[in-house]
Amino acid sequence: MKEFYDFGQWKKEDHITSIGCGHGWWEVSLCLHYPAEHLTLVDPLVEQEDIQDSIDYFTEKTGLVWQSGVELNPEGFKNQNQIWVFNAWHEFENRSEMLMKIKNGVMEGGIVIIEEEVSKVKRLQHEGCGKDLFFESEIINEFTEAGLHYVATRVKDEVAVYLKFRK
C-alpha cells in the first residue's frame, strides 16, 4: 500500500476517481490510510452498500476513521487530480471510449495510474476472466496516442505493473 502511495503521491485535498473498482477494497484501504478530499468509484455492477461494507470492514480492522467523501457511479467526473484503473484495463470492451472519458475526466497536469497484469514474452490471458493481457508497451502506446504523457513504470510483482501518465 505504501508502495502505491509513494508512486501516486496524492494529497488530502485531491479528488480521485477509480474506474472498474469492484467493491472498492484497494481504493478504500488506500484512502483510509492516505485520505483524499473525495473518492469517486465507478463500477456499474456495484451498489452503495457494497462500498459502505468495504469502508466498515477496513475502519473496524484498522481503527482508523474514514475521512474522504465518497460517491459511486456518478453521471460523469471532471477535474480529477488522479484517475486509477486497478486490474481492469483488459476488461473494457471499448477501451478508446473509456480512454476519452479518462482523458476528459483528469485535470490538466493530473495523473492516471493503471495497475495491470501484463504479457511479457508471449500473449497471456487473465486467470480470472480469460481475456487477453496486453504488453506494457501496448498500454503505453494507447495512452500516449490519446494525448497522455507517459511518466513511469513500477513493477508491482511478478505479473503486474503500475503505469503512470500525466495529462
Side-chain angles (χ1 to χ4, degrees):
M1 182 179 336
K2 178 152 178 25
E3 178 182 292
F4 183 79
Y5 175 75
D6 289 342
F7 192 63
Q9 296 185 341
W10 59 93
K11 299 170 188 67
K12 279 190 163 194
E13 62 272 8
D14 282 356
H15 288 238
I16 299 168
T17 292
S18 184
I19 300 170
C21 65
H23 289 200
W25 278 60
W26 281 104
E27 297 83 354
V28 166
S29 182
L30 285 164
C31 287
L32 183 60
H33 287 87
Y34 306 98
E37 177 74 24
H38 193 80
L39 176 63
T40 299
L41 300 168
V42 179
D43 194 316
L45 304 177
V46 176
E47 302 291 330
Q48 186 66 44
E49 53 268 12
D50 299 324
I51 301 304
Q52 190 59 52
D53 288 347
S54 296
I55 292 170
D56 293 346
Y57 173 81
F58 283 107
T59 54
E60 184 177 316
K61 183 176 178 176
T62 64
L64 297 172
V65 175
W66 182 254
Q67 300 176 43
S68 303
V70 67
E71 178 180 24
L72 177 65
N73 294 327
E75 287 294 316
F77 48 90
K78 295 279 185 203
N79 297 317
Q80 299 299 290
N81 300 96
Q82 292 196 14
I83 295 179
W84 302 337
V85 181
F86 287 115
N87 194 28
W89 192 245
H90 65 277
E91 297 272 358
F92 297 117
E93 295 299 323
N94 191 339
R95 288 188 322 282
S96 60
E97 182 180 307
M98 183 54 70
L99 193 48
M100 285 302 100
K101 286 181 182 179
I102 289 170
K103 185 178 176 193
N104 292 333
V106 70
M107 68 187 328
E108 197 63 42
I111 297 292
V112 177
I113 298 177
I114 306 297
E115 184 268 349
E116 187 73 9
E117 293 182 24
V118 293
S119 296
K120 300 204 179 190
V121 177
K122 64 177 188 164
R123 178 83 56 202
L124 300 173
Q125 283 72 43
H126 188 268
E127 259 185 48
C129 67
K131 292 187 178 184
D132 284 349
L133 295 174
F134 301 103
F135 290 94
E136 179 182 333
S137 62
E138 290 175 311
I139 300 170
I140 292 170
N141 289 340
E142 208 170 9
F143 278 74
T144 57
E145 286 175 9
L148 296 168
H149 303 283
Y150 170 71
V151 176
T153 297
R154 180 170 291 170
V155 174
K156 178 185 176 195
D157 54 34
E158 61 277 352
V159 296
V161 296
Y162 297 122
L163 300 168
K164 183 192 282 188
F165 301 89
R166 184 177 306 278
K167 181 174 177 183

